[in-house]
């Protein structure tokens, strides 16, 4: 279901004017469909149900009587009104003069911030043989909030229903926000909104709307395509009235804007307003909050990721704007992809420090999707907002919530021994100077970027994001650098909670490991969060750590995976990131793999391996089923080697 920016749910019409101009008669004639012989001083408030109004909106009609009500009551009624009808008698010049000298200033006084739409109603045209409309045009030019003027007769019922229809229309489809009578042109705000709509509908990004794009636009806004003859007629009108309204038999941006200006000039405001509201605009031509920020409940322990539809939409968006097909966004391409948004979703410089970019510093497709994954994970409302700006609701014809999936609660992942997520958070924790900044930066750099990583003086961003292969499946991992305030300061709960923790120390600094050990014992020893300890700067001399246990012995004692060494000079340095992602995807494996690495006697090995796999739900509990499956010892050994290869290759990265 699409979240729409709907017009007002009800309309309150107030009739004001000098005594004797026929306000009450107009109301009673509308209701009874005949002229009342006995007219009371004031008509009671009337409610017209939505199903009998052209716009399907309930409408209240309110009368005002100077003989029965005070000025205070009048001011209150004006403030409550959605639209004010100033009634004058066409045969009474004084009632016409009072429009500018009294009524319009009074209405403005009671609506100082937001102008209240006004409809001028000339009553008693049955008494004269001329029209006063020409003289009223000058008043309309002076007061921009006057939407229209209509002449009618309460006695003959001429234009009575039309008068109330125009009053209702002035509220639901006001002119002043979208058209300037003084300039005889669309307002700047309206132009800006329509330009955004044009760019969203320009699917091939050629600056033109072809017949297919025009039909998509028409179907989206009015639930029906344009017939070929109608399309030809529209283009004929443009060709007749402007030189550059049509190009290559397609509608240009100028032509698109001209058509809407023409609709408004001909009194078809509802056409333009229907388009604007379909694309999320409210009465003030701002994107409505309901359109930008739909509600989505995310249980505690769950996270948010892009769904298949969201991923598909963003991929198509990238491909539309990657004009040179180099799988990267040049600065002009990057600017154009967010041209329908108030600002880019992220800055190009920030992207280069957080996600993969090419050698020119341009964000790649992989980096682009990583940015969206990060934003969806940590700032879901912002993702919803930008999906709306980019036109997700238009192309998918659905609310942005379908672009996102809520993951299974983490406690269920733990119970089932496997994570269903595609995006994981890894917190990188370590003392100052341990090398964690280089470690995080290397996650988004290729093996040929060693010098770039070392020479980067920009500091480490809050996180780096990249794609990692886990058993042949692409997963996205967010490395969050937990910046320490002081070594003695405790970690906050949000700094501890993650899918996998990476504790980093400097192998060349004898004081470095102690902090990592204390962090593990205090925050992770009793938790279910998998932990990998990484010794950075492995290209330098390793020194004995000034702690009661050396790193290898510490890992053995606490039954965590063996120590992992890391250096940016190692050609296999990305293996450590694969291990972290695998640990996040299969959190119970850390205990199972440790048990395998204890290396029991050969006669005990198979039973030991089997018990651990059964514990983690990876084989059936009934051993007869295991054997009946026909899996040989060689197959079991191969499976064990695969797990060990992924999670236990410390020598490979030295």
């Amino acid at each position: 279901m699409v979240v729409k920016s709907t017009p007002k749910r009800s309309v309150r019409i107030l009739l004001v004017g000098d005594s004797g101009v026929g306000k009450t008669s107009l109301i009673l004639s509308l209701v009874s469909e005949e002229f009342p012989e006995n007219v009371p001083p004031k008509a009671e408030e009337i409610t017209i149900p939505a199903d009998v109004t052209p716009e399907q909106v309930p409408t209240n009609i309110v009368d005002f009587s100077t003989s029965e009500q005070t000025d205070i009551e009048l001011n209150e009624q004006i403030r409550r009104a959605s639209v004010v009808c100033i009634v004058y008698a066409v045969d009474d010049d004084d009632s016409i003069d009072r429009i500018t000298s009294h009524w319009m200033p009074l209405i403005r006084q009671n609506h100082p911030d937001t102008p209240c739409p006004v409809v001028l109603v000339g009553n008693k045209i049955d008494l004269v043989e001329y029209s006063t409309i020409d003289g009223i045009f000058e008043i309309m030019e002076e007061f921009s909030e006057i939407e229209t003027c209509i002449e009618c007769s309460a006695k003959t019922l001429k234009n009575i229903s039309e008068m109330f229809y125009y009053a209702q229309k002035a509220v639901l489809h006001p002119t002043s926000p979208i058209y300037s009578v003084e300039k005889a042109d669309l307002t700047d705000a309206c132009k800006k909104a329509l330009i955004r709509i044009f760019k969203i509908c320009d699917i091939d990004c050629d600056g033109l709307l072809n017949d297919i794009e025009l039909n998509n636009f028409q179907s989206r806004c009015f639930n029906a395509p344009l017939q070929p003859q109608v399309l030809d007629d529209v283009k004929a009108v443009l060709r007749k009235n402007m030189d550059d309204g049509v190009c290559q038999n397609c509608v240009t941006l100028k032509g698109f804007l001209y058509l809407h200006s023409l609709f408004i000039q001909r009194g078809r405001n509802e056409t333009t307003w229907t388009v604007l509201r379909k694309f999320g605009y409210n009465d003030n031509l701002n994107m409505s909050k309901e359109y930008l920020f739909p509600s989505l409940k995310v249980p505690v322990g769950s996270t948010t990721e892009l769904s298949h539809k969201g991923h598909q939409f963003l991929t198509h968006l990238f491909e539309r704007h990657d004009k040179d097909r180099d799988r990267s966004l040049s600065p002009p391409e990057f600017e154009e992809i967010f041209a329908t948004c108030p600002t880019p979703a992220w800055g190009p410089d920030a992207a280069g420090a957080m996600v993969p970019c090419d050698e020119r510093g341009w964000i790649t497709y992989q980096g682009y999707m990583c940015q969206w994954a990060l934003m969806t994970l940590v700032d879901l409302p912002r993702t919803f907002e930008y999906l709306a700006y980019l036109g997700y609701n238009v192309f998918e014809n659905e609310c942005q919530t379908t672009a996102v999936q809520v993951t299974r609660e983490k406690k269920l992942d733990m119970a089932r021994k496997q994570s269903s997520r595609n995006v994981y958070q890894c917190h990188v924790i370590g003392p100052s100077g341990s090398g964690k900044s280089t470690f995080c930066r290397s996650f988004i750099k290729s093996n040929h970027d060693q010098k770039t990583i070392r020479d980067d003086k920009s500091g480490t961003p809050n996180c780096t994001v990249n794609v990692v292969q886990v058993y042949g499946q692409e997963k996205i991992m967010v490395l969050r650098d937990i910046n320490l305030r002081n070594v003695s300061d405790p970690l906050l709960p949000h700094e501890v909670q993650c899918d996998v923790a990476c504790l980093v120390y400097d192998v060349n600094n004898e004081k470095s490991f102690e902090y990592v050990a204390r962090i593990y014992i205090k925050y992770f020893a009793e938790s279910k969060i998998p932990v990998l300890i990484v010794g950075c700067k492995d290209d330098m001399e390793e020194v004995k750590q000034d702690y009661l246990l050396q790193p290898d012995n510490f890992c053995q004692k606490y039954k965590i995976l063996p120590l992992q060494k890391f250096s940016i000079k190692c050609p296999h340095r990305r293996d450590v990131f694969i291990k972290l992602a695998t640990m996040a995807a299969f959190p119970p494996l850390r205990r199972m793999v440790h048990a395998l690495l204890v290396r029991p006697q050969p006669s005990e090995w198979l039973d030991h391996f089997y018990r651990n796999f059964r514990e983690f739900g990876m084989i059936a509990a009934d051993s007869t089923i295991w054997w009946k499956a026909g899996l040989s010892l060689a197959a079991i050994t191969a499976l064990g080697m695969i797990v060990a290869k992924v999670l236990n290759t410390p020598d490979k990265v030295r």
Side-chain angles (χ1 to χ4, degrees):
M1 180 179 178
V2 179
V3 178
K4 299 177 182 179
S5 175
T6 56
K8 296 180 184 297
R9 293 183 178 178
S10 63
V11 174
R12 187 176 180 84
I13 303 173
L14 173 65
L15 274 66
V16 300
D18 294 347
S19 179
V21 294
K23 303 184 297 296
T24 306
S25 298
L26 287 170
I27 296 173
L28 297 178
S29 293
L30 174 72
V31 175
S32 63
E33 296 186 349
E34 62 180 6
F35 182 69
E37 295 297 334
N38 298 313
V39 181
K42 176 179 173 294
E44 296 297 323
E45 183 173 328
I46 294 171
T47 300
I48 302 176
D51 57 358
V52 299
T53 65
E55 297 290 345
Q56 299 294 298
V57 176
T59 302
N60 296 324
I61 301 175
V62 182
D63 191 12
F64 178 77
S65 172
T66 54
S67 63
E68 294 197 352
Q69 293 174 282
T70 65
D71 290 343
I72 295 176
E73 291 174 311
L74 172 59
N75 290 330
E76 175 63 22
Q77 290 292 352
I78 292 175
R79 284 191 289 269
R80 292 180 61 194
S82 306
V83 56
V84 177
C85 292
I86 302 178
V87 182
Y88 65 93
V90 295
D91 63 340
D92 184 353
D93 291 341
D94 290 340
S95 68
I96 297 175
D97 293 340
R98 290 261 294 171
I99 295 172
T100 56
S101 64
H102 176 71
W103 292 112
M104 285 305 304
L106 183 63
I107 293 169
R108 283 186 169 181
Q109 177 185 327
N110 284 283
H111 288 271
D113 300 322
T114 304
C116 178
V118 173
V119 174
L120 300 183
V121 181
N123 191 23
K124 304 184 180 182
I125 59 171
D126 57 292
L127 299 180
V128 297
E129 296 181 355
Y130 56 86
S131 172
T132 60
I133 292 295
D134 290 342
I136 296 299
F137 280 154
E138 296 181 4
I139 300 176
M140 294 178 66
E141 291 178 357
E142 182 180 353
F143 298 94
S144 60
E145 55 264 60
I146 298 177
E147 290 285 325
T148 189
C149 175
I150 185 170
E151 294 182 331
C152 58
S153 170
K155 188 171 185 179
T156 65
L157 307 185
K158 183 177 181 179
N159 290 341
I160 297 297
S161 60
E162 287 82 355
M163 163 206 156
F164 289 100
Y165 167 71
Y166 282 120
Q168 188 184 63
K169 185 177 175 181
V171 178
L172 303 178
H173 312 300
T175 301
S176 57
I178 60 176
Y179 191 81
S180 171
V181 178
E182 295 177 356
K183 298 179 181 178
D185 195 8
L186 300 172
T187 62
D188 291 341
C190 184
K191 283 182 181 179
K192 182 178 179 181
L194 291 174
I195 289 170
R196 169 182 169 264
I197 292 169
F198 182 93
K199 289 182 176 181
I200 288 175
C201 296
D202 180 16
I203 298 173
D204 56 11
C205 302
D206 64 350
L208 302 168
L209 293 185
N210 58 38
D211 288 358
I212 295 175
E213 291 165 341
L214 284 169
N215 267 315
N216 289 339
F217 164 77
Q218 179 75 11
S219 297
R220 164 64 180 168
C221 295
F222 305 101
N223 302 316
L226 288 169
Q227 297 300 317
Q229 184 59 49
V230 177
L231 273 173
D232 291 341
D233 292 344
V234 168
K235 294 172 188 176
V237 169
L238 290 174
R239 290 189 179 99
K240 180 180 179 181
N241 289 278
M242 57 192 317
D243 295 332
D244 49 1
V246 178
C247 179
Q248 301 174 21
N249 202 36
C250 301
V251 175
T252 66
L253 174 59
K254 287 185 178 180
F256 184 73
L257 296 176
Y258 176 80
L259 286 174
H260 283 280
S261 180
L262 197 62
F263 291 146
I264 298 168
Q265 290 170 5
R266 295 181 178 180
R268 292 173 55 188
N269 297 17
E270 63 273 16
T271 300
T272 299
W273 273 114
T274 298
V275 171
L276 291 168
R277 287 178 176 130
K278 287 286 186 178
F279 283 79
Y281 291 93
N282 59 22
D283 291 346
N284 298 319
L285 290 186
N286 296 317
M287 299 284 284
S288 70
K289 291 184 178 180
E290 295 81 7
Y291 192 87
L292 293 176
F293 305 109
S295 176
L296 181 65
K297 185 177 181 181
V298 182
V300 176
S302 297
T303 58
T304 47
E305 303 175 356
L306 290 171
S307 66
H308 174 71
K309 282 188 175 181
H311 193 281
Q312 191 175 45
F313 170 77
L314 293 170
T315 297
H316 289 166
L317 188 71
F318 183 95
E319 292 172 346
R320 284 170 53 198
H321 291 86
D322 181 20
K323 299 292 183 63
D324 52 12
R325 300 293 185 265
D326 63 351
R327 303 294 284 174
S328 298
L329 293 177
S330 66
E333 290 170 346
F334 179 85
E335 183 179 347
E336 186 61 28
I337 204 170
F338 291 113
T340 59
C341 309
T343 59
W346 59 82
D349 296 335
M354 296 174 65
V355 297
C357 290
D358 65 13
E359 64 278 2
R360 298 164 294 188
W362 299 354
I363 191 169
T364 62
Y365 169 73
Q366 184 171 305
Y368 165 85
M369 293 308 302
C370 285
Q371 276 283 7
W372 280 107
L374 175 64
M375 194 159 71
T376 305
L377 178 70
V378 302
D379 194 353
L380 182 60
R382 186 171 174 83
T383 294
F384 282 158
E385 179 184 11
Y386 274 85
L387 284 173
Y389 288 140
L390 293 168
Y392 178 85
N393 313 55
V394 178
F395 289 109
E396 298 297 330
N397 203 29
E398 294 178 329
C399 175
Q400 305 97 293
T401 53
T402 63
V404 172
Q405 63 184 15
V406 178
T407 65
R408 190 169 64 197
E409 293 184 50
K410 193 170 184 179
K411 62 183 179 181
L412 295 178
D413 284 345
M414 298 299 294
R416 298 185 183 185
K417 312 298 190 295
Q418 183 176 353
S419 172
S420 62
R421 305 180 182 189
N422 294 306
V423 182
Y424 301 115
Q425 293 193 75
C426 172
H427 287 187
V428 182
I429 306 171
S432 177
S434 61
K436 64 187 178 75
S437 298
T438 299
F439 180 82
C440 290
R441 283 197 295 266
S442 70
F443 184 44
I444 60 171
K445 301 293 184 180
S446 69
N447 286 333
H448 304 291
D449 291 335
Q450 295 178 23
K451 188 175 187 302
T452 304
I453 298 170
R454 285 197 183 280
D455 295 344
D456 189 351
K457 305 299 183 184
S458 62
T460 304
N462 180 254
C463 56
T464 50
V465 193
N466 207 345
V467 174
V468 182
Q469 291 282 338
V470 177
Y471 293 125
Q473 293 185 338
E474 284 194 348
K475 305 289 185 180
I476 292 178
M477 189 164 64
V478 178
L479 290 190
R480 189 174 299 281
D481 183 9
I482 305 301
N483 291 312
L484 303 172
R485 298 157 295 280
N486 294 298
V487 175
S488 58
D489 289 346
L491 293 177
L492 301 175
H494 73 272
E495 295 175 322
V496 175
Q497 290 302 315
C498 56
D499 297 305
V500 59
C502 181
L503 305 184
V504 174
Y505 77 98
D506 179 2
V507 301
N508 189 241
N509 183 348
E510 69 275 7
K511 300 291 185 181
S512 188
F513 181 72
E514 180 179 2
Y515 176 79
V516 165
R518 294 185 183 279
I519 286 290
Y520 177 83
I521 293 170
K522 184 174 182 179
Y523 296 102
F524 296 101
E526 300 300 323
S527 80
K528 295 183 178 180
I529 299 172
V531 175
L532 184 66
I533 295 179
V534 175
C536 281
K537 306 182 184 180
D538 191 42
D539 53 310
M540 302 177 69
E541 180 185 356
E542 183 175 1
V543 299
K544 184 178 180 180
Q545 293 297 311
D546 188 9
Y547 187 65
L548 57 93
L549 288 174
Q550 292 305 296
D552 286 324
N553 303 124
F554 184 88
C555 293
Q556 289 180 355
K557 177 180 178 180
Y558 288 96
K559 298 182 179 180
I560 58 180
L561 288 178
L563 172 68
Q564 173 78 48
K565 298 295 182 61
F566 177 83
S567 168
I568 61 170
K569 292 184 177 181
C570 177
H572 303 293
R573 69 166 188 261
R574 286 194 62 80
D575 286 7
V576 66
F577 303 119
I578 296 174
K579 292 179 181 181
L580 288 167
T582 305
M583 293 167 68
F586 301 95
L589 284 180
R590 67 167 183 162
R591 288 192 289 132
M592 183 189 72
V593 173
H594 180 271
L596 289 174
L597 296 173
V598 172
R599 300 186 187 279
Q601 295 299 318
S603 61
E604 302 171 358
W605 191 87
L606 179 58
D607 289 339
H608 194 81
F609 185 87
Y610 168 73
R611 285 197 303 273
N612 280 282
F613 263 62
R614 185 173 61 187
E615 177 186 351
F616 293 103
M618 303 186 85
I619 63 173
D622 187 350
S623 61
T624 60
I625 297 176
W626 172 258
W627 293 109
K628 288 178 181 179
L631 294 178
S632 65
L633 176 60
I636 301 172
T637 305
L639 183 57
M641 291 174 64
I642 291 173
V643 176
K645 184 177 180 181
V646 174
L647 297 179
N648 181 42
T649 54
D651 294 332
K652 188 177 181 182
V653 295
R654 288 183 186 272

